[in-house]
Amino acid sequence: MIVHQAAFEGKAPLLKGNLHTHTTRSDAISSPETVIGQYAAMGYDFLALTDHRLYNYQNFAPESGLLILPGMELDANLPGPGCHCVHLVSLGPEKERGNRFEQDQAFESLSVSSAQEALPLVRAIEEAGNLPIFCHPEWSGNTAQEILSLPDISLMEIWNSGCVVENGLDAHAAYWDEVLCAGRRMYGVASDDGHHPYQNGLGFVKVRAEKTPSAILDALRRGAFYASCGPEIYDFYLEDDKAVLFCSPVEVIRFRHFRVPYVERRGNGIMGHQTAPVKGTNYIRAEVMDAQGRMAWTNPLFLDEKYWQRAKK
Ligand SMILES: [Zn+2]
Ligand SMILES: [Zn+2]
């Protein structure tokens, strides 16, 4: 029996998109028109303009052919020296599909004494029919426990181009493993969060969906996507007692479960690998790195009781 990770099921196209973008509507240097044009020229299918505390549906450059996914970024500041906060991207469907936020609706920054107290932000996002994404935990000075203290979050950034380029912070995926190991079904997103043109186009998602906001949102909720900075993932599935990955030519393929040493294959232009998940682990995910050092990450395959019973036979 073969169980595919949701990104590799069904006939819908794999759309390329960026879920976290800034423009002159908040603190970035390029206008919405310029940013949309830049992503369209790079071959993206969709883009969310997630300026700080300012909701957007509008396609400022409709001739680009790019689909705009409605969204914004909200934040809550936490006490303590240095940077300590919770940032959440909010992504929603079309207005007529139940999105309760308005174009240009503005929000305040919250001040809270613990990450858990940012829960009203998560609730406000959900009650408006939107999907929250926990942003850049390493940049925000978060712990994995802070992510886990927000019960309904099921997507988080594991790569944020702005944080990597500006701050050298590329360890967001480490938080992901800790959260997954604690039993949370969490999907990993790569996004740009660009404030300058040179930060745009470095990290993206490939989503298995038709090209409408509600279809993309539904696929994100189901984990029907993968995250990448370049390499393509062709398939990731469980077959009997093995996890199997196929991808574009890369130099490194790793399978990861937290607290189990990872399985790695290295080679020139390798395009696949397989492994038997270690008994008792609750998920397995794969990541790859190409000759330019660019990564891609599958979402996890969750290994529940049923899986382990089947694998025993
Ligand atoms: Zn942020
Ligand atoms: Zn941002």
Side-chain angles (χ1 to χ4, degrees):
M1 179 172 153
I2 294 183
V3 179
H4 291 270
Q5 202 283 322
F8 310 103
E9 282 180 329
K11 299 255 185 297
L14 262 180
L15 304 178
K16 181 175 182 177
N18 179 31
L19 302 174
H20 186 171
T21 319
H22 295 281
T23 73
T24 48
R25 283 166 54 81
S26 61
D27 55 349
I29 66 156
S30 302
S31 68
E33 292 82 356
T34 302
V35 170
I36 293 170
Q38 188 188 2
Y39 279 95
M42 292 188 291
Y44 279 61
D45 298 294
F46 68 91
L47 180 67
L49 299 182
T50 54
D51 279 299
H52 298 286
R53 296 169 235 103
L54 186 62
Y55 207 81
N56 183 68
Y57 292 83
Q58 194 175 331
N59 191 341
F60 295 84
E63 70 288 351
S64 68
L66 210 68
L67 178 80
I68 296 298
L69 194 60
M72 68 176 157
E73 183 174 12
L74 293 176
D75 55 86
N77 291 310
L78 289 156
C83 184
H84 193 197
C85 52
V86 170
H87 284 203
L88 299 169
V89 154
S90 169
L91 298 174
E94 303 85 334
K95 194 96 184 77
E96 59 274 20
R97 299 297 291 267
N99 195 330
R100 297 210 182 88
F101 288 134
E102 303 294 334
Q103 175 66 28
D104 298 333
Q105 190 173 344
F107 297 79
E108 297 288 317
S109 190
L110 283 190
S111 278
V112 294
S113 59
S114 71
Q116 198 170 21
E117 284 179 29
L119 191 57
L121 281 187
V122 179
R123 294 282 180 252
I125 289 169
E126 290 168 339
E127 279 161 20
N130 277 233
L131 175 68
I133 301 177
F134 197 99
C135 301
H136 48 63
E138 192 183 14
W139 185 93
S140 297
N142 297 130
T143 63
Q145 280 309 318
E146 287 179 338
I147 303 171
L148 288 164
S149 75
L150 294 170
D152 295 330
I153 302 269
S154 63
L155 284 93
M156 62 175 283
E157 286 180 348
I158 56 166
W159 168 275
N160 179 299
S161 306
C163 294
V164 175
V165 172
E166 294 303 318
N167 312 102
L169 300 177
D170 65 352
H172 294 98
Y175 297 75
W176 190 25
D177 280 310
E178 203 168 337
V179 164
L180 286 166
C181 193
R184 179 72 61 89
R185 288 176 85 95
M186 182 70 82
Y187 300 119
V189 166
S191 50
D192 281 335
D193 193 8
H195 290 70
H196 296 267
Y198 60 82
Q199 299 166 345
N200 293 344
L202 303 177
F204 54 87
V205 286
K206 294 287 277 289
V207 183
R208 180 77 63 188
E210 301 301 333
K211 197 173 161 183
T212 68
S214 45
I216 293 168
L217 211 68
D218 177 59
L220 291 172
R221 287 186 199 280
R222 292 184 295 107
F225 68 94
Y226 69 88
S228 181
C229 295
E232 289 180 71
I233 310 278
Y234 299 141
D235 208 350
F236 183 47
Y237 58 86
L238 289 167
E239 182 172 20
D240 303 325
D241 65 341
K242 287 199 178 54
V244 182
L245 178 90
F246 289 105
C247 58
S248 58
V250 294
E251 307 281 295
V252 182
I253 299 175
R254 290 186 199 111
F255 291 101
R256 301 198 79 124
H257 354 36
F258 190 51
R259 297 199 188 118
V260 176
Y262 57 75
V263 179
E264 184 174 270
R265 180 182 175 205
R266 283 176 182 262
N268 261 333
I270 52 175
M271 296 181 70
H273 195 28
Q274 62 178 43
T275 190
V278 174
K279 202 162 181 328
T281 51
N282 62 337
Y283 72 94
I284 186 164
R285 64 178 185 85
E287 58 187 38
V288 303
M289 187 167 68
D290 71 9
Q292 291 88 54
R294 300 177 306 175
M295 303 275 298
W297 303 259
T298 71
N299 270 310
L301 285 159
F302 294 100
L303 309 171
D304 53 13
E305 286 292 309
K306 267 196 222 142
Y307 169 78
W308 288 113
Q309 276 166 11
R310 270 203 316 272
K312 247 194 284 178
K313 285 174 194 160

